[in-house]
Amino acid sequence: MTKCYFDHVATNPLDPEVLNAMMPYFKEDFGNPLSVYDLGMRARDAIEKARTGVATLINAKPSAVVFTASGAEANNFALRGIALAKQNHGKHVIVSKVEHHSILNSARFLEKNGFVVTYLPVDKHGLVNPDTVKNSITKETVLISITHASSEIGTIEPIKEIAKIAKENNIVFHADGVATVGNIPVDVNDLGVDLLSMAAHQFYGPKGAGALYVREGLRIVPLVYGGIQEGGRRAGTENVPAIAGMGKAAELAKSELDKRMEHSKKLRDRIIEGILKIPNVYLTGHPEKRLPHHASFVVEFIEGEAMLLMLSMKGMYAASGSACSSKALKSSPVLLSLGVPTALAQGSIVFSLGAGNTVEDVDYLLGEFPPIINRLREMSPFAKGWGKGFEGHGEGEKCYTG
Amino acid sequence: MKFVHGVKADITADIVYMMCPMHLLKLDEMVRSLENGQVLEILTDYDGALEDIPQWCVRTGNEFVGMDEDEDYYKFYVRKAGNVQ
């Protein structure tokens, strides 16, 4: 059976070159980077080489990159670390409603500990309005955190404009770059961010490696206390193979970015064009300002889980909502924040593309998906009285308009 | 403890929120990078530094110039002495 992986925002396969770069640190070069002998030195050199690779990808100084175990950890570190470091200056934090759970739940943690958090609304495409950010700032605001792009709806946020507002008001600005770093050009100086989270497995690196860019001179309270790893900012013996892999993946992403984007965008546009021909299917997220490898929809009258199961029976792997909320059987807060009604939000489906996908994969999907929807609608009590189902072949909406 | 105000430092190491033993590692690293007679300012909120930094100076022969306090952290001043380290 044909196998098509359309879930690259959940994770990516490891690039073989990345695996090769990791192998010595699983085997002969297993030393602890803090050990003074040559075995430790080789591990230490691997970490510093990786730091340079990651820093180059985002145009930062290597010393500004702190390795973590995941993008979620980097997000927790940014929010909690800056809020705690700045709490004597104020206890107000601003985030958007389309953030990943690692941001939203960190914000809730801060609320429970005496901070006030503003959750910014977004428009129907999931865009944060920079003027809304400006109007939400108070004398107490110490941190603004906005996702660079949502992995659920693909919308790319106006980070540069928001960073400018934060800077004018002397407020620390963090962007969650987990979905963007390695997938679109990201330059921390051009964007003007103070902190940026990233995860290796989003650009063909290994799971278990992430990083937080922390602008030079910015104080941050560590999330993990212990030893002197990462300059005392993140304790714990380093996952050397994963960090080495992240560095290699960053080098490859830097050199192949344009090619990867062009490849994915072509396939993404083919998916969007094909799927919107199905009646009562709507694009979610921004039609243009979106990740080049991301196509997301809501399908009326049926629910995402059923579509995922039937697609997987045909050898196709996709997502419904964010990778983690696929399992939670609840409506996506991100979709609800766009104004998508609760019932419709149940029919969320996300296709995300990668280097391994081909035009043939997409055509296979476009051939198999409409009958799957039709079959599910025939079984759905919600579709009763709706009409002829798939046979109607009406023109779908270009995007969800609320 | 010797308190000082308005000491002009040649270089500053900001390790506020970093725990033990970062204050000693940074101290060692930064003093090595100084010329003889130059002064290092080290900013830290780690209480153990109150004891450790003056003692480190005694042990290494560098001069402990003194300390100052800011709102929520300490400032330590160390002058690099010749023929030590």
Side-chain angles (χ1 to χ4, degrees):
Chain A
M1 184 171 62
T2 310
K3 296 277 183 195
C4 303
Y5 185 72
F6 294 125
D7 200 7
H8 289 81
V9 293
T11 194
N12 285 274
L14 203 60
D15 188 300
E17 275 193 64
V18 171
L19 181 61
N20 287 340
M22 294 169 68
M23 286 314 283
Y25 307 100
F26 282 119
K27 293 156 79 177
E28 63 274 16
D29 290 335
F30 62 87
N32 185 320
L34 285 185
S35 298
V36 293
Y37 40 79
D38 62 346
L39 204 56
M41 216 180 293
R42 286 204 290 278
R44 196 153 63 243
D45 288 348
I47 290 175
E48 294 318 311
K49 186 174 180 232
R51 201 183 308 282
T52 301
V54 171
T56 305
L57 179 62
I58 58 168
N59 192 27
K61 285 185 181 174
S63 57
V65 173
V66 182
F67 286 114
T68 62
S70 64
E73 185 192 322
N75 281 340
N76 274 260
F77 184 19
L79 248 72
R80 292 158 69 169
I82 294 298
L84 293 177
K86 294 279 177 189
Q87 62 182 329
N88 290 343
H89 303 278
K91 297 188 96 172
H92 179 230
V93 173
I94 299 173
V95 302
S96 86
K97 287 184 177 174
V98 292
E99 300 301 317
H100 186 259
H101 279 107
S102 53
I103 293 290
L104 292 175
N105 286 342
S106 294
R108 285 180 194 120
F109 166 85
L110 291 174
E111 277 185 301
K112 284 183 181 171
N113 286 276
F115 286 80
V116 175
V117 179
T118 298
Y119 298 89
L120 295 176
V122 292
D123 71 9
K124 65 184 180 184
H125 295 135
L127 277 176
V128 173
N129 183 341
D131 287 336
T132 313
V133 178
K134 198 187 278 183
N135 295 335
S136 304
I137 292 171
T138 72
K139 280 189 287 184
E140 287 277 306
T141 311
V142 289
L143 173 65
I144 300 171
S145 178
I146 305 291
T147 188
H148 192 184
S150 161
S151 61
E152 214 174 317
I153 53 173
T155 300
I156 299 172
E157 299 293 345
I159 291 301
K160 205 169 166 174
E161 289 88 329
I162 300 169
K164 194 164 167 271
I165 292 166
K167 196 172 183 183
E168 284 165 1
N169 289 277
N170 199 25
I171 296 166
V172 178
F173 182 55
H174 166 253
D176 173 2
V178 169
T180 54
V181 173
N183 288 298
I184 61 171
V186 177
D187 178 330
V188 290
N189 295 312
D190 181 52
L191 290 174
V193 296
D194 295 309
L195 302 113
L196 181 89
S197 303
M198 57 207 116
H201 74 112
Q202 293 290 325
F203 49 95
Y204 304 97
K207 295 150 189 75
L212 180 67
Y213 159 77
V214 184
R215 181 179 52 74
E216 210 169 32
L218 188 63
R219 288 179 189 154
I220 185 162
V221 175
L223 200 60
V224 185
Y225 285 111
I228 58 167
Q229 292 87 358
E230 300 300 299
R233 291 179 291 186
R234 202 277 185 184
T237 302
E238 298 91 336
N239 185 350
V240 183
I243 291 172
M246 183 172 189
K248 185 67 187 176
E251 284 173 28
L252 294 171
K254 178 83 181 166
S255 63
E256 295 174 8
L257 194 58
D258 290 344
K259 198 175 78 184
R260 288 182 189 177
M261 284 171 62
E262 194 185 333
H263 173 76
S264 293
K265 190 172 178 296
K266 196 173 70 184
L267 301 181
R268 178 202 72 181
D269 291 345
R270 197 177 180 91
I271 288 184
I272 292 176
E273 194 192 338
I275 287 184
L276 286 183
K277 285 181 182 157
I278 306 168
N280 294 60
V281 176
Y282 312 96
L283 184 71
T284 55
H286 200 282
E288 287 98 34
K289 293 174 191 168
R290 65 183 303 127
L291 292 169
H293 60 302
H294 193 285
S296 55
F297 309 89
V298 279
V299 180
E300 210 160 8
F301 311 123
I302 52 181
E303 55 106 20
E305 194 80 358
M307 286 187 275
L308 295 189
L309 289 173
M310 291 191 75
L311 282 168
S312 95
M313 284 160 68
K314 297 280 184 184
M316 287 175 281
Y317 308 111
S320 177
S322 67
C324 44
S325 63
S326 279
K327 286 198 172 295
L329 289 178
K330 58 182 263 190
S331 293
S332 151
V334 170
L335 291 178
L336 297 181
S337 72
L338 309 186
V340 176
T342 309
L344 185 54
Q346 297 289 337
S348 160
I349 188 122
V350 181
F351 301 99
S352 46
L353 298 142
N357 292 130
T358 62
V359 173
E360 289 72 33
D361 290 349
V362 170
D363 289 346
Y364 177 58
L365 167 71
L366 294 177
E368 296 292 339
F369 194 42
I372 287 175
I373 291 179
N374 198 36
R375 199 171 149 207
L376 288 170
R377 280 179 175 166
E378 279 166 5
M379 293 188 281
S380 165
F382 301 108
K384 231 174 185 181
W386 167 65
K388 297 176 189 170
F390 166 63
E391 299 304 321
H393 267 299
E395 188 75 24
E397 294 284 332
K398 289 291 173 211
C399 62
Y400 178 73
T401 50
Chain B
M1 179 57 72
K2 187 180 173 189
F3 285 89
V4 290
H5 298 291
V7 175
K8 194 179 175 303
D10 295 285
I11 193 165
T12 297
D14 183 345
I15 52 161
V16 174
Y17 304 130
M18 301 298 112
M19 292 292 196
C20 178
M22 282 311 296
H23 60 304
L24 293 175
L25 287 177
K26 209 68 182 169
L27 188 58
D28 188 70
E29 178 195 325
M30 299 300 278
V31 167
R32 279 174 198 276
S33 72
L34 292 181
E35 301 289 332
N36 291 341
Q38 285 189 312
V39 174
L40 165 70
E41 178 185 53
I42 198 154
L43 312 180
T44 177
D45 61 337
Y46 177 62
D47 292 337
L50 291 163
E51 194 177 321
D52 292 349
I53 291 181
Q55 265 188 15
W56 182 89
C57 290
V58 170
R59 190 168 55 79
T60 59
N62 290 289
E63 182 192 347
F64 179 64
V65 179
M67 69 162 288
D68 197 359
E69 277 182 290
D70 209 312
E71 202 177 322
D72 45 10
Y73 56 90
Y74 310 112
K75 301 194 254 188
F76 292 91
Y77 296 93
V78 175
R79 180 176 288 115
K80 180 164 181 172
N83 303 319
V84 293
Q85 287 289 308

